[in-house]
Amino acid sequence: MIEVKNLVKKYGNHTAVDHLSFRIEAGKIYGFLGPNGAGKSTTMNIMTGYLGATEGEVLIDGHDILKEPEEAKRHIGYLPEQPPLYMDMTVREYLEFAAELKGIQRGKREEAITEVEKMVRISDVEGRLIRNLSKGYRQRVGLAQAVLGFPEMIILDEPTVGLDPKQIIEIRELIRKLSKKHTVILSSHILAEIREVCDYILIISKGRLVASDTPENLEKALGDHTTVEIEAQASPSEIRLILKNVPGIESVEMQPAVDYVTKARIREKKGEDVRERVFRAFASAQTPLLTLKAEGTSLEDVFMQLTQNDTLPKAFAEKIQWEEADQNAGNL
């Protein structure tokens, strides 16, 4: 539904977006990740027609966002990081204005506005001036504007920024609800939010795409090792003795015992799963094992490794090259 092809955006000598290419397919929630200054908001502004690109193109359902802006924008609802609100309008007036700009038929506007007000839970404030609303309600009004007309694609740039925990949960629930009928692209600094809500993740760093896959596959790709955490009623020396002959263990990191309970982190060798062996070893030694859990590579680990290093891990570099080659072949 969206094709970003060799996108470049320069501000003088600074390159904000550097030959960025990717595809967005229908029916998923996409997470757009990157550190501050990576080019996320710039890319979103170009995708929605707010900014022009220095090079490259963006196709929305086959329509070039710069050459056919009206046709392309019919398919998009957009919530920028700073919602474009008119503070001297009431909520209802603002949504009526947005409906007119979006070209919603006059006879269908009232019904459409009422529906989105109920969806984002702002019906009770529709007669209030936007400037008198809280941050949370203003964000909801901006979201209502994006959803109004129910476009096929909804692009949300930091939709939960500045909201309290209860409001964040409500916005996440709304995003999941929207994804049943719409494609959603979500930018966020909150990795837990991306991990919980998104089906597919795009990570950019220094204006370039460095990874694109499901959260699970991204975690597996860097998960050469898994750490197993244990707690046992034994001293560190006793635990080392029990684990000494367990195959598949690369190293053991021990913490001092507290009330004769010791915590340890077991680093597995690549491709090994030692949990059953560890359990049986402690059972054979008749030593109580209080906790046994595995911790794999997290999305936070993936994000840090991909955005802090200048050189991509081999698995990701090869995947990006393959995807770019596949996209270029499709353009021939």
Side-chain angles (χ1 to χ4, degrees):
M1 296 185 71
I2 298 180
E3 289 184 86
V4 174
K5 300 180 180 181
N6 202 36
L7 200 64
V8 177
K9 180 62 178 179
K10 293 184 178 180
Y11 297 98
N13 294 325
H14 174 66
T15 301
V17 180
D18 187 6
H19 298 89
L20 186 63
S21 298
F22 59 85
R23 288 192 187 100
I24 299 294
E25 303 293 342
K28 294 180 180 178
I29 304 177
Y30 285 82
F32 206 40
L33 277 177
N36 289 332
K40 300 188 304 298
S41 293
T42 299
T43 301
M44 286 186 157
N45 283 328
I46 295 173
M47 288 168 61
T48 53
Y50 277 59
L51 280 177
T54 305
E55 296 177 29
E57 60 181 347
V58 176
L59 301 180
I60 310 294
D61 205 22
H63 301 283
D64 191 303
I65 190 66
L66 294 180
K67 296 178 181 178
E68 305 172 86
E70 290 188 11
E71 187 61 38
K73 290 179 182 180
R74 285 194 181 98
H75 303 277
I76 299 174
Y78 181 39
L79 174 64
E81 186 173 355
Q82 297 295 329
L85 304 177
Y86 292 92
M87 298 300 172
D88 292 330
M89 286 184 174
T90 67
V91 171
R92 190 76 181 195
E93 288 170 345
Y94 173 72
L95 293 179
E96 288 172 350
F97 174 64
E100 184 176 354
L101 290 179
K102 290 190 173 193
I104 298 174
Q105 295 179 15
R106 187 178 298 274
K108 296 181 179 180
R109 288 178 192 171
E110 290 300 310
E111 181 182 352
I113 292 171
T114 300
E115 187 173 357
V116 296
E117 284 184 341
K118 289 180 179 178
M119 178 179 288
V120 302
R121 300 180 185 178
I122 57 173
S123 300
D124 56 332
V125 298
E126 70 169 9
R128 293 179 58 183
L129 291 175
I130 293 175
R131 70 182 177 202
N132 294 331
L133 298 179
S134 66
K135 168 69 175 177
Y137 269 109
R138 290 183 188 181
Q139 197 75 355
R140 288 169 185 255
V141 174
L143 187 56
Q145 169 274 136
V147 176
L148 189 60
F150 296 97
E152 295 100 316
M153 287 159 282
I154 298 173
I155 301 177
L156 309 173
D157 192 0
E158 301 284 351
T160 60
V161 65
L163 303 186
D164 64 39
K166 181 176 182 294
Q167 293 167 337
I168 289 174
I169 291 171
E170 290 174 349
I171 295 297
R172 287 179 185 174
E173 291 174 351
L174 177 57
I175 290 170
R176 292 191 189 96
K177 184 177 179 180
L178 289 171
S179 70
K180 294 178 181 178
K181 295 182 180 180
H182 309 270
T183 299
V184 180
I185 303 173
L186 166 68
S187 168
S188 177
H189 285 93
I190 307 173
L191 297 184
E193 182 170 78
I194 294 291
R195 181 66 176 83
E196 182 178 341
V197 174
C198 298
D199 305 308
Y200 203 88
I201 295 176
L202 304 167
I203 301 178
I204 67 171
S205 179
K206 299 177 182 177
R208 295 184 62 86
L209 184 69
V210 295
S212 62
D213 213 324
T214 64
E216 295 79 11
N217 287 343
L218 289 175
E219 291 167 350
K220 288 178 183 177
L222 285 180
D224 292 342
H225 301 271
T226 300
T227 299
V228 177
E229 290 192 354
I230 65 170
E231 283 184 310
Q233 285 187 344
S235 66
S237 59
E238 289 172 324
I239 290 178
R240 289 192 185 279
L241 185 62
I242 293 170
L243 296 176
K244 182 179 180 180
N245 295 318
V246 175
I249 293 178
E250 182 173 288
S251 62
V252 179
E253 179 184 331
M254 210 78 62
Q255 295 183 13
V258 178
D259 295 331
Y260 204 58
V261 173
T262 302
K263 292 183 179 181
R265 293 170 61 87
I266 302 168
R267 185 176 174 86
E268 298 174 328
K269 293 180 180 178
K270 184 176 181 179
E272 296 284 350
D273 185 348
V274 302
R275 287 174 295 177
E276 182 177 347
R277 300 170 203 161
V278 169
F279 174 81
R280 292 186 181 279
F282 276 85
S284 297
Q286 296 185 337
T287 299
L289 190 60
L290 306 178
T291 301
L292 173 65
K293 63 179 181 180
E295 289 191 353
T297 303
S298 68
L299 184 58
E300 286 81 359
D301 297 328
V302 173
F303 180 81
M304 294 299 289
Q305 184 164 343
L306 291 176
T307 57
Q308 288 192 344
N309 297 334
D310 290 332
T311 303
L312 290 181
K314 183 179 179 181
F316 287 104
E318 290 177 346
K319 187 174 189 299
I320 294 299
Q321 290 170 1
W322 181 86
E323 289 177 344
E324 289 178 347
D326 179 60
Q327 184 164 357
N328 290 334
N331 293 336
L332 296 178

